[in-house]
Amino acid sequence: MTTDAGRIFFFRKRHRLADDDHFPRPKHRRLHEPRFLFDAVPCCLLRRPPIPPEAGVSAFDMGNFLSNACPGCMPKDGALGMYRDWTDASKDARDLTVATRDGVGLGHGVLSRRILDPRKAALQAVVPPWEKREPHYKDALKKARLPDKRLGELEAEARLQKEKLDELRKPKEDLSQFLLPLTAEDEEVVHDCLYGSGSSNQVLVLHESSNIEISKEKIRCLRPHGWLNDEVINLFLELLKERGLREPKRSLKCHFFNTFFYKKLACGKNGYDYKSVKRWTTHRKLGYELIECDKIFVPVHQRVHWCLAIINMKAKTLQYLDSLGGNDPRVPEMLARYIVEEVKDKSNKEIDINSWTKEVVDYVPLQQNGYDCGMFMLKYMDFLSRGASLSFGQEHMEYFRKRTVKEIIKLRAD
């Protein structure tokens, strides 16, 4: 073949490969093509959006975010899956550290000695034939007579499970006193606060003793799909304190820390920082000491999620409640250190914290969407501060949001 003929051949070959008409394709899309599988799936499920920057502000509304991120579709789970992804991502970003050989001690699974001569190491591992050894049955008998620490752990676990079962078997309380219907006048006031016209900076109420003021913009976090902000939570806690003083026979003696306490305690320069919160609980400010309380409530904000920790002075337990069923063991550890130093400093008494129980309360009502964690936390405190069981659920959250608006406007928790 000549050079010119070869050029013509290869030119024709390339021309045929580039020609779309040479390989005709079906004009109609076939039913088995994979594109049809995604037509009915909402775009928010194909690609979960990352945590938005506005999630940290006080007026974040989950419903508005979903409508903008995925127009025309609303997840059937109330964005619970997306919210779980956000909470997991925030935990990973906060907790994930890289351990190096220089930064941490070697664990049991790491060979810590350096073997220079493998033959010498092998000879050292072999028992010399002239060394007399006890029979295996005597060695096993000695080990069997030693006290097994696991028995004590299993006994404590069995006792804890029995307490949980007893709690679950208790008859449901009558919720009528906690679910009193709002009057027509209250409904009108609530609707005007949440949806009425007027300046968003208009101050609706001022709590004088705590100097917390609630504007229209702040209280609108109690709309459906809204994430609760610090001002609304802290004012409601002040109302719970006042209710305990007003009705001592119907309430336990409780102390409610505000939403900034745990941040101050746990986020110092070296992590735990008791000095930054030492003056929060002087007898002059409170009129009592924490050792006199039955329960101490500590709101915990996990970046995009509200949880609750309880220092139960009466039962000597450190409890952690999460409406997503999660767990953060650092929180009870942090509060255990705090209560030991606090009682020592204010009451000059020692607490044997090793005898206390750390408990993740997993028989609590759980949220079924991505925006009611703050309301669940408030209701945990509301019910437990009165000694009531947590006999409510997701179906009551819409009512509790309206009732919280009413109680904040009237500056009285019922």
Side-chain angles (χ1 to χ4, degrees), residues 158-414:
R159 185 169 60 252
L160 182 61
Q161 293 296 334
K162 184 179 181 301
E163 292 175 359
K164 291 180 179 179
L165 285 175
D166 293 340
E167 184 69 25
L168 291 173
R169 288 169 181 166
K170 285 182 180 180
K172 291 285 186 179
E173 291 188 28
D174 182 16
L175 285 179
S176 58
Q177 58 173 327
F178 303 110
L179 297 173
L180 296 175
L182 302 182
T183 64
E185 182 182 354
D186 291 336
E187 289 278 4
E188 186 177 350
V189 171
V190 169
H191 186 273
D192 182 63
C193 292
L194 297 180
Y195 305 102
S197 59
S199 174
S200 59
N201 296 324
Q202 177 187 351
V203 177
L204 299 176
V205 66
L206 170 66
H207 190 260
E208 294 183 359
S209 60
S210 63
N211 199 30
I212 300 175
E213 63 178 28
I214 301 295
S215 64
K216 272 199 169 185
E217 180 185 6
K218 299 294 184 184
I219 207 168
R220 282 173 180 169
C221 71
L222 288 167
R223 288 177 175 179
H225 310 129
W227 288 10
L228 269 59
N229 54 50
D230 293 284
E231 290 83 1
V232 165
I233 292 175
N234 290 332
L235 178 52
F236 188 77
L237 297 184
E238 292 292 333
L239 301 182
L240 292 183
K241 289 181 189 178
E242 295 173 358
R243 184 183 68 186
L245 297 174
R246 190 174 64 246
E247 304 172 359
K249 293 183 179 180
R250 295 181 56 194
S251 305
L252 302 176
K253 187 168 184 179
C254 302
H255 180 74
F256 301 87
F257 280 114
N258 64 27
T259 57
F260 306 110
F261 169 78
Y262 186 76
K263 297 176 187 177
K264 277 278 188 181
L265 177 68
C267 300
K269 293 182 179 179
N270 299 319
Y272 175 80
D273 186 6
Y274 173 72
K275 291 182 179 179
S276 63
V277 296
K278 181 179 178 179
R279 297 182 180 180
W280 287 40
T281 52
T282 61
H283 195 280
R284 182 181 177 182
K285 288 183 177 179
L286 302 182
Y288 56 86
E289 296 174 358
L290 294 189
I291 197 173
E292 303 171 11
C293 297
D294 296 323
K295 293 183 178 181
I296 302 167
F297 295 97
V298 183
V300 178
H301 192 234
Q302 303 282 21
R303 191 182 176 192
V304 294
H305 182 56
W306 286 108
C307 303
L308 176 65
I310 303 175
I311 305 174
N312 195 325
M313 303 295 293
K314 194 173 183 180
K316 295 184 178 181
T317 59
L318 296 161
Q319 299 172 308
Y320 186 78
L321 292 78
D322 185 348
S323 58
L324 285 178
N327 179 25
D328 188 349
R330 300 171 307 166
V331 176
E333 292 291 340
M334 198 80 64
L335 295 179
R337 293 178 62 184
Y338 167 75
I339 197 62
V340 170
E341 289 196 57
E342 173 67 15
V343 172
K344 177 67 175 176
D345 180 66
K346 302 298 191 304
S347 306
N348 198 24
K349 294 182 180 180
E350 298 284 349
I351 288 183
D352 182 17
I353 202 65
N354 294 323
S355 64
W356 285 42
T357 304
K358 297 181 179 67
E359 178 187 2
V360 178
V361 185
D362 53 5
Y363 48 86
V364 297
L366 300 179
Q367 68 184 96
Q368 303 299 322
N369 54 41
Y371 38 83
D372 274 332
C373 61
M375 280 307 306
F376 272 88
M377 181 189 69
L378 288 185
K379 288 300 142 181
Y380 291 160
M381 290 186 275
D382 183 9
F383 278 60
L384 294 176
S385 63
R386 290 187 277 192
S389 63
L390 302 177
S391 50
F392 59 87
Q394 179 66 61
E395 65 274 14
H396 302 115
M397 288 301 114
E398 183 179 356
Y399 164 77
F400 284 145
R401 283 178 177 266
K402 293 181 179 180
R403 176 168 172 166
T404 304
V405 174
K406 183 203 78 169
E407 292 175 335
I408 286 177
I409 294 301
K410 293 188 175 181
L411 290 179
R412 179 187 174 93
D414 297 325

